[in-house]
Amino acid sequence: MISEILQTLPQVLVDGLALGAVYAVVAIGYTMVYGILEFINFAHGEIFMTGAFAGTAALLTLKSAGLLGAMPGWLAYLLAFVIAMLLTGILGIGIERVAYRPLRKAPKLISFISAVGISFLLQDIVRFIADLKTGNFIVTGITLYDSNLKVAASSLWSVFGDAFIKTNTIIVLAAAVVLMIGLDLFVNRTKWGVAMRAVAQDRDTASLMSINVNKVIALTFFIGSALGGGTGVLFAQQYGTIDPYIGFTLGMKAFTAAVLGGIGNIRGAMFGGILIGLIEMLASTNLGILTGGSFGAEYKDVMSFLILIVVLIFKPEGLFGKAIKEKV
Amino acid sequence: MKKWKKGLGAVMVTVLGASLLAGCGSSGKNSSAASGSEGAGGDLTVIKIASQSPLSGSSSAYGESIKLGGQMALEERKDEFKKLGFDLQFVPYDDQGDSKKGVANAELIGADKSVMAVLGHFNSGVSIPSSVVYEKYSIPMVSPGSTATDLTDRKLKSVNRVVARDDFQGPAGAEYAVKTVGAKNIFIIQDQTAYGKGIADSFQNAAKELGANIVGYEGITVGEKDFSGVLNQVLSKKPDFIYFGVLYNEGGLIVKQAREKGIDVPIMGGDGIDSSGMVDVAGDKLTNVAYSSVATDIIKSNKEWADKYHQKFGKNPENYAVYSYDAMNVILNALTKAIDANGGKVPAREKVRDAIRTTTDYQGIATKVSFDDKGDNKYAKVFIYKYDGPQYPGSMISEVEPK
Amino acid sequence: MNKWIFVLRQNKLVLAAVYAVFVIVTALSVYLSDKSVVSFLLLLSSFLLLYYTAFPNTVKWGIAGVLLLIVIPFATSGGASHESYMEVVTQCGIYIAMALGLNIVVGFAGLLDLGFIAFFAVGAYSYAIFSTPQVSNFISGNLFPLSGSWFWLFILLGGFIAALFGVLLGLPVLRVKGDYLAIVTLGFGEIIRLIFNNLSKPVNITNGAMGISSIPPPNLFGFQFTFPHQFYFIVIAILAVVLFGVRRLEHSRLGRSWKAIRENEIAAQAMGIPVIGTKLTAFAVGASFSGMMGVVFAAKQTFIDPTSFTLVESATILVMVILGGMGSVPGVILGAAIVTILNLQVLTELTNWFNQLTLNGIVNIPSALSPSKMQRLLFGVILVLMAIFRPNGLIAAKNRKVNEEKLKANLPKAAVPIGQSAKQSGGAFK
């Protein structure tokens, strides 16, 4: 049993890291919005999904215009990535303006309900467009990089089996790292970053310090949504097929990651994402082996939801967050 | 009497509508919908044949082809029924591959007295619960695609199908895997639906009997995109053959991701991956994948029909279209028989149901049809195909006759 | 217009006559036409009109009873679509009961629950498992599977089991609040669904994604309930019990505690309300309504599988509550009826009509546009619009007015200690 687990370990780590990177970048979107508004942007998973569709649509349009063959793969990739990010970023601002800002003073229950509504709306609008354009809402895009690298992990230790890394996995990891470092620098080193942190700490005082709170919130939504949408493109490239309902489960897992890392804490979200990705991959590969086939990979989603509930109940401030005492 | 009732009803509705204009702006369309469909026939009596298939969702490619095949057969024979004094109408329902939706539609179909028969469903998981409703209302159904054994094993009077059963398809696949390919260690994946689990289990039993070793049996969830977990298990078990009971969306992704992980053993599936969707999803990773199908390759076996279909709908027929076409003709033949027996008047549903069951030796485009006492087609065959590159359909390897 | 309304308000006889004419005309038009969605909807809307009439409450309940038990079953029996009308009304009843259950949790106690459908599933599965051969996979013996005459016991049992699960789900409320609670309940609901979806091995309890079929219909002394018009009466009976319970609970000590917690938890706690116990009861009571209807649903569908219990279903019930008005019983009934009819009748009819148009070649409407797929879009729009423009719903919740004069009159003339007078007025509330 142990040898079986060890043998697949290199491959599991590779797959888990790729998945975890996706979760991590999406989790940042949740955590940023929560940090500033103390509000769970339930529609964030759907923004990720919209990004995946936007990127795929961009590539398909390039192809039908005959431009795809003419340009190098990386350029097409970058183009899809940027288009998706811009589009979802603007979408995020729009959603905030229309559905959240009027409710900023309303009870939290009401704004959460509005977010759930937005999430359904997005699912169906994307479903509708995809269905209309392609005849089916499950869309298979164009995979730009689908070559494989073999990692000879067996030469390190003979117990390990070899692992295969897709070129795209490396792109996903690299992109995630660049995005995360960039964001970290932006939040900690720039003037806008300072403004953001100020608004997160105390909205009213920040506005007294001549910070335009609405602008900062819009910017936060732009960045968070753009990160989600960009990750959507990475996801579509990694797995090839997308549908309008991928956002929900993935969003829930990313949210779990954000909670696990301490919601409101950007570095915590990155760490939480990677951790959830690895746990999920380990569980889905090894549950069947460990339980002799009684419980298998089909329980991996249960695992994620369980982690979410357990963390929320027993350590709601997460691994890196600070516990906040409620003041009366 | 009836006319008077209808007329008065219409007057009442109009009066109501006028007096409550504000309230029914949107629902006003509805009444015209209801009366419109009735008025269209003129003096002819309306007979409806419903179809139920997944027009949206992950198996919509099949569902669409079932709808179109049925529509084609029905429209060809519309005039024949007009001469008999009937306005034959086709009512396609979308069951979304969702059993709950299928049952809800079945209730609506059952309540509509002018529906005489149902063509469908595709997904066994939808057929089985819906057939209980059909039985309740004595509406016959003929399925061009559901293969689960349970569908006909419950011996309902109203359930028939023109295609082969899973416990015929599974063993045929096992025979190919063990005898032709020489598989010894087999890993089985299934999508936990009535179809996927049914066919995977019957394959498993047959393969065991033939002496193969089952090294793993895993379930996946429909709609997932990342199958690394299951495939990593495959890596650790090192099978020399993979069998999966899935539909093409998941099937295509599993094949693609397996090949990317360096798993290059032969893979086999059931008729669920008999679709051009497989090529779209898996792309050029689609190599060395065999599948058993209950459908013949119509473009090769009857070019003329396939051309006609292409001309009418602007696309090539997927393999179920022709079975749906045959199933609709079986229904319509039985319907004319029942009309004749009733002296040219609308027959009772029970009569249509019994007439369908007694169908014998009807020569359709794709298959010959004779129902046994359970509603299974005695002539249904199974075909083994193989994808060797991104091309649909795969090349035919063998044809298995019923025992 | 206003003058007319005034006359109607003043003169009960005129009001009664106008109302009776409306009911008779709509009922007749339903009876006489083969299938007319409009007149059917108008007949149903007579309940809404009834709500706004100036009759005393007992008269209203009486009229509603007559409408439900006599007028509707009779009026719909005229045409060929008897069963489909009955199906719609029956489903309405099921969803109204569930929405009333969720209303207790969300509306009264202010706890957002996104996994409410799980209790419906628990109820449905409890009857389905024990009444089909499924049970013999893990319990041997000749007692099982149970026959359809056990259905009646299972209505109670389903409610009870669901209430247990309600307490179980409620446990996180000990620690979690606000939208975190919503997420936890959502996760919980998904876990229950996934477990039902996967519990076919090692022991096959739920038959996994294949679902359980051939669930026996209810059986009362040899009489089998199979058709919607028969289930209608079962649903009406349960609904009557649920409504009675909700009305009693709303103004009871418990009901007032729920509302107090919703308004301000800390203040409520300071007033001596046991917060945890009260919240858990809200979960348990709400869940039990849902569980009872789950049993009915399983018996009516004769088939259940996990896809009937997804997040969208939870959201559907939430939409009903939000649309109608959180905490408002008549509002929630209206919301549930609107959403169910929209889903079951209006959207389906529109879809069929579009299909017919497309088939006849009049206009070409792509199947992507088909209204029956627009469910999510519609729900999304309703949720957002209601949240922004009418957070109190169509019929906003009203707190029972206290007649100040009467209260004062009841007080003893002499000055009383404050504590005692508070006790007195508390009694007058009831």
Side-chain angles (χ1 to χ4, degrees):
Chain A
M1 194 200 291
I2 299 289
S3 67
E4 274 175 349
I5 294 175
L6 280 178
Q7 192 216 338
T8 51
L9 197 61
Q11 185 71 52
V12 170
L13 287 179
V14 167
D15 294 335
L17 272 179
L19 195 62
V22 171
Y23 290 160
V25 186
V26 178
I28 290 172
Y30 281 105
T31 238
M32 282 176 73
V33 169
Y34 193 89
I36 286 200
L37 290 177
E38 297 207 345
F39 154 75
I40 299 172
N41 183 9
F42 192 78
H44 190 61
E46 264 55 61
I47 290 178
F48 157 84
M49 177 272 296
T50 313
F53 272 89
T56 307
L59 286 181
L60 287 174
T61 323
L62 280 180
K63 191 184 180 190
S64 62
L67 291 170
L68 194 62
M71 61 173 75
W74 62 267
L75 185 63
Y77 207 131
L78 197 68
L79 213 59
F81 198 70
V82 170
I83 289 175
M85 279 182 92
L86 278 178
L87 204 104
T88 49
I90 293 166
L91 184 69
I93 294 180
I95 290 172
E96 193 272 332
R97 185 70 196 81
V98 174
Y100 301 158
R101 195 179 293 178
L103 297 171
R104 213 177 278 163
K105 295 231 160 52
K108 266 193 201 163
L109 190 70
I110 300 293
S111 41
F112 187 78
I113 286 167
S114 178
V116 174
I118 288 289
S119 134
F120 278 133
L121 256 175
L122 277 181
Q123 278 181 10
D124 219 41
I125 292 173
V126 172
R127 196 262 318 155
F128 174 69
I129 296 173
D131 211 349
L132 205 62
K133 289 278 175 204
T134 64
N136 190 352
F137 62 72
I138 301 176
V139 175
T140 304
I142 302 159
T143 311
L144 291 169
Y145 289 96
D146 61 348
S147 52
N148 268 319
L149 292 175
K150 188 170 172 180
V151 181
S154 55
S155 62
L156 282 175
W157 190 19
S158 58
V159 184
F160 287 152
D162 289 339
F164 284 85
I165 300 187
K166 290 172 69 172
T167 323
N168 195 62
T169 309
I170 298 169
I171 298 177
V172 170
L173 286 171
V177 168
V178 168
L179 287 178
M180 290 193 274
I181 291 177
L183 182 72
D184 209 80
L185 288 177
F186 176 81
V187 171
N188 290 317
R189 298 285 163 82
T190 63
K191 217 164 137 189
W192 277 104
V194 175
M196 248 181 206
R197 283 183 290 145
V199 173
Q201 222 162 47
D202 189 329
R203 209 187 301 160
D204 294 331
T205 316
S207 74
L208 291 177
M209 302 286 139
S210 79
I211 290 174
N212 187 338
V213 174
N214 278 338
K215 246 187 199 165
V216 171
I217 291 176
L219 181 72
T220 311
F221 268 88
F222 181 85
I223 295 177
S225 304
L227 287 177
T231 324
V233 180
L234 298 178
F235 182 91
Q237 284 297 315
Q238 181 78 353
Y239 298 112
T241 308
I242 46 175
D243 67 54
Y245 309 114
I246 51 173
F248 168 66
T249 324
L250 195 133
M252 285 299 292
K253 287 175 184 166
F255 179 74
T256 309
V259 171
L260 187 65
I263 195 146
N265 182 330
I266 292 179
R267 288 180 193 173
M270 301 175 191
F271 181 80
I274 303 282
L275 197 63
I276 293 280
L278 286 174
I279 292 175
E280 183 185 324
M281 202 50 77
L282 276 168
S284 65
T285 307
N286 296 322
L287 263 178
I289 298 173
L290 287 172
T291 59
S294 309
F295 300 101
E298 64 268 20
Y299 280 94
K300 67 175 184 174
D301 288 354
V302 177
M303 288 285 293
S304 310
F305 287 123
L306 266 183
I307 294 175
L308 173 67
I309 292 180
V310 167
V311 172
L312 276 181
I313 293 177
F314 294 106
K315 204 168 166 37
E317 70 273 15
L319 295 176
F320 303 105
K322 271 180 274 170
I324 303 163
K325 286 270 183 290
E326 191 182 359
K327 283 172 276 182
V328 179
Chain B
M1 176 71 190
K2 192 121 193 259
K3 261 196 180 148
W4 169 81
K5 252 175 118 180
K6 222 184 239 173
L8 190 60
V11 170
M12 289 262 183
V13 173
T14 340
V15 170
L16 276 173
S19 61
L20 283 141
L21 263 178
C24 47
S26 69
S27 40
K29 281 182 201 158
N30 264 311
S31 71
S32 62
S35 54
S37 64
E38 263 151 34
D43 279 343
L44 304 171
T45 318
V46 174
I47 288 186
K48 292 178 189 160
I49 308 289
S51 82
Q52 278 231 65
S53 57
L55 302 179
S56 53
S58 55
S59 34
S60 59
Y62 303 113
E64 188 72 15
S65 69
I66 286 175
K67 180 186 121 184
L68 295 181
Q71 188 185 338
M72 183 167 162
L74 186 133
E75 280 175 6
E76 281 176 9
R77 298 181 64 171
K78 235 180 160 147
D79 291 339
E80 181 189 330
F81 277 83
K82 208 166 246 170
K83 278 181 202 134
L84 294 172
F86 297 101
D87 178 27
L88 194 61
Q89 287 182 3
F90 186 56
V91 198
Y93 280 83
D94 178 11
D95 66 22
Q96 298 175 6
D98 173 359
S99 46
K100 192 181 166 203
K101 191 80 196 159
V103 171
N105 287 345
E107 286 283 354
L108 290 176
I109 291 173
D112 186 345
K113 291 271 178 345
S114 52
V115 178
M116 283 294 142
V118 178
L119 172 72
H121 305 231
F122 172 71
N123 311 65
S124 299
V126 188
S127 294
I128 293 171
S130 306
S131 60
V132 179
V133 181
Y134 299 139
E135 185 77 4
K136 190 165 88 184
Y137 291 103
S138 327
I139 307 175
M141 69 167 255
V142 181
S143 169
S146 292
T147 51
T149 50
D150 231 20
L151 180 61
T152 51
D153 281 353
R154 292 167 304 152
K155 300 200 169 141
L156 300 180
K157 283 189 199 133
S158 49
V159 178
N160 309 282
R161 65 173 148 215
V162 295
V163 291
R165 295 155 55 91
D166 277 346
D167 56 1
F168 176 29
Q169 203 188 145
E175 194 143 320
Y176 168 80
V178 179
K179 290 198 176 147
T180 314
V181 182
K184 292 199 175 54
N185 297 310
I186 301 175
F187 196 100
I188 296 179
I189 301 170
Q190 46 94 6
D191 64 3
Q192 308 200 74
T193 61
Y195 162 73
K197 191 166 188 307
I199 195 166
D201 286 353
S202 76
F203 174 91
Q204 186 182 17
N205 293 335
K208 269 188 194 156
E209 258 172 44
L210 291 171
N213 184 21
I214 308 298
V215 294
Y217 184 95
E218 270 292 331
I220 57 159
T221 312
V222 174
E224 269 182 336
K225 305 286 173 237
D226 180 3
F227 299 101
S228 312
V230 172
L231 291 172
N232 287 343
Q233 266 188 62
V234 173
L235 272 180
S236 73
K237 301 282 187 191
K238 298 199 185 72
D240 55 13
F241 195 88
I242 300 172
Y243 188 85
F244 55 18
V246 292
L247 296 183
Y248 64 87
N249 269 308
E250 287 76 31
L253 282 175
I254 291 176
V255 169
K256 185 175 172 210
Q257 291 173 17
R259 298 297 184 234
E260 280 166 0
K261 283 183 193 301
I263 302 170
D264 39 21
V265 299
I267 300 178
M268 184 175 194
D271 55 327
I273 62 166
D274 177 8
S275 162
S276 53
M278 207 53 194
V279 176
D280 297 338
V281 179
D284 55 5
K285 299 284 191 299
L286 186 63
T287 53
N288 206 1
V289 177
Y291 62 97
S292 60
S293 177
V294 291
T296 174
D297 180 359
I298 192 64
I299 299 175
K300 288 212 182 90
S301 64
N302 193 334
K303 186 91 174 45
E304 197 187 337
W305 186 88
D307 284 345
K308 218 163 60 179
Y309 183 97
H310 191 274
Q311 202 181 357
K312 191 165 167 67
F313 301 116
K315 48 183 152 189
N316 279 329
E318 298 263 334
N319 284 348
Y320 284 100
V322 62
Y323 283 85
S324 171
Y325 182 87
D326 284 352
M328 178 60 91
N329 274 322
V330 166
I331 291 174
L332 294 182
N333 286 341
L335 190 58
T336 42
K337 236 196 296 179
I339 289 172
D340 279 349
N342 200 26
K345 285 199 286 289
V346 180
R349 282 170 173 176
E350 287 79 5
K351 299 284 178 221
V352 182
R353 182 190 70 193
D354 297 342
I356 288 181
R357 182 56 61 83
T358 52
T359 301
T360 34
D361 291 349
Y362 164 73
Q363 182 60 55
I365 299 287
T367 176
K368 212 168 165 185
V369 181
S370 268
F371 292 124
D372 64 10
D373 57 339
K374 286 194 289 190
D376 283 322
N377 181 5
K378 285 180 205 158
Y379 295 107
K381 286 187 220 167
V382 166
F383 309 85
I384 307 278
Y385 297 82
K386 191 173 173 192
Y387 292 116
D388 247 326
Q391 203 171 20
Y392 177 81
S395 49
M396 197 194 287
I397 290 177
S398 63
E399 202 174 306
V400 187
E401 297 281 343
K403 282 170 199 132
Chain C
M1 191 71 196
N2 279 332
K3 207 173 114 198
W4 278 104
I5 289 175
F6 184 73
V7 171
L8 285 180
R9 277 200 181 284
Q10 291 303 308
N11 195 333
K12 292 275 163 65
L13 261 177
V14 177
L15 177 66
V18 170
Y19 187 72
V21 167
F22 178 81
V23 170
I24 290 171
V25 170
T26 48
L28 271 180
S29 62
V30 172
Y31 183 76
L32 292 176
S33 57
D34 257 356
K35 183 165 192 177
S36 161
V37 178
V38 180
S39 41
F40 180 60
L41 292 185
L42 285 174
L43 177 60
L44 289 188
S45 71
S46 58
F47 287 101
L48 188 62
L49 288 181
L50 183 65
Y51 172 74
Y52 284 113
T53 53
F55 297 128
N57 261 340
T58 41
V59 177
K60 283 189 192 173
W61 285 110
I63 297 177
V66 171
L67 280 176
L68 279 173
L69 291 178
I70 300 169
V71 178
I72 290 187
F74 176 73
T76 52
S77 66
S81 12
H82 181 202
E83 295 298 344
S84 57
Y85 285 140
M86 275 315 188
E87 169 81 9
V88 172
V89 192
T90 309
Q91 294 254 14
C92 268
I94 291 179
Y95 278 106
I96 287 174
M98 285 208 283
L100 285 172
L102 183 63
N103 185 42
I104 290 181
V105 184
V106 180
F108 291 169
L111 306 162
L112 186 53
D113 184 350
L114 286 177
F116 195 68
I117 202 75
F119 309 124
F120 189 56
V122 167
Y125 266 98
S126 60
Y127 178 63
I129 290 173
F130 286 101
S131 64
T132 55
Q134 196 63 34
V135 67
S136 44
N137 289 332
F138 59 96
I139 300 178
S140 53
N142 291 329
L143 177 60
F144 297 107
L146 301 169
S147 72
S149 36
W150 286 80
F151 169 80
W152 314 102
L153 180 68
F154 261 91
I155 293 181
L156 295 179
L157 217 58
F160 180 69
I161 300 175
L164 279 185
F165 271 81
V167 172
L168 194 68
L169 164 63
L171 285 178
V173 303
L174 307 179
R175 309 270 313 216
V176 186
K177 265 188 238 159
D179 29 7
Y180 273 14
L181 179 67
I183 297 271
V184 168
T185 53
L186 194 158
F188 196 86
E190 283 294 292
I191 288 181
I192 290 201
R193 184 181 65 81
L194 286 168
I195 288 178
F196 280 140
N197 198 31
N198 294 324
L199 214 58
S200 54
K201 62 176 187 173
V203 185
N204 186 352
I205 296 176
T206 62
N207 207 21
M210 292 157 81
I212 301 177
S213 56
S214 308
I215 301 166
N219 187 324
L220 190 66
F221 306 120
F223 179 78
Q224 290 237 341
F225 290 74
T226 43
F227 289 101
H229 72 267
Q230 294 158 336
F231 272 99
Y232 173 76
F233 292 100
I234 300 180
V235 169
I236 293 291
I238 299 178
L239 193 59
V241 175
V242 165
L243 259 177
F244 180 74
V246 169
R247 297 297 295 190
R248 297 292 294 174
L249 275 175
E250 188 183 354
H251 301 294
S252 71
R253 189 189 181 84
L254 187 60
R256 282 175 284 133
S257 313
W258 284 334
K259 288 180 182 173
I261 289 179
R262 175 188 70 192
E263 294 307 325
N264 190 330
E265 195 173 324
I266 294 161
Q269 202 165 16
M271 296 304 287
I273 293 172
V275 172
I276 289 168
T278 312
K279 281 184 180 177
L280 285 184
T281 343
F283 273 109
V285 175
S288 66
F289 294 168
S290 194
M292 287 196 275
M293 281 308 182
V295 175
V296 178
F297 177 78
K300 188 174 88 62
Q301 297 298 99
T302 70
F303 168 83
I304 52 166
D305 76 343
T307 55
S308 308
F309 311 109
T310 52
L311 174 74
V312 183
E313 298 294 320
S314 286
T316 310
I317 304 174
L318 185 68
V319 170
M320 293 170 182
V321 175
I322 307 279
L323 180 68
M326 281 187 282
S328 144
V329 173
V332 167
I333 295 175
L334 177 68
I338 290 180
V339 173
T340 316
I341 291 172
L342 206 65
N343 248 341
L344 230 62
Q345 206 162 26
V346 177
L347 291 184
T348 324
E349 285 296 321
L350 275 178
T351 309
N352 285 349
W353 183 52
F354 281 169
N355 276 343
Q356 218 57 49
L357 286 184
T358 311
L359 274 184
N360 294 340
I362 299 170
V363 271
N364 193 17
I365 298 153
S367 75
L369 243 168
S370 114
S372 69
K373 292 184 202 162
M374 298 280 194
Q375 234 186 37
R376 279 171 200 254
L377 186 87
L378 216 70
F379 289 175
V381 171
I382 291 178
L383 283 176
V384 175
L385 289 186
M386 293 307 281
I388 295 177
F389 296 109
R390 262 193 102 111
N392 290 328
L394 292 177
I395 303 179
K398 274 181 286 192
N399 273 326
R400 190 178 274 191
K401 285 259 166 52
V402 179
N403 190 337
E404 220 172 314
E405 293 302 314
K406 211 171 151 193
L407 266 184
K408 275 181 189 154
N410 278 347
L411 283 181
K413 287 266 155 51
V416 281
I418 293 169
Q420 203 178 333
S421 80
K423 226 182 203 169
Q424 288 259 342
S425 67
F429 264 113
K430 287 177 190 168

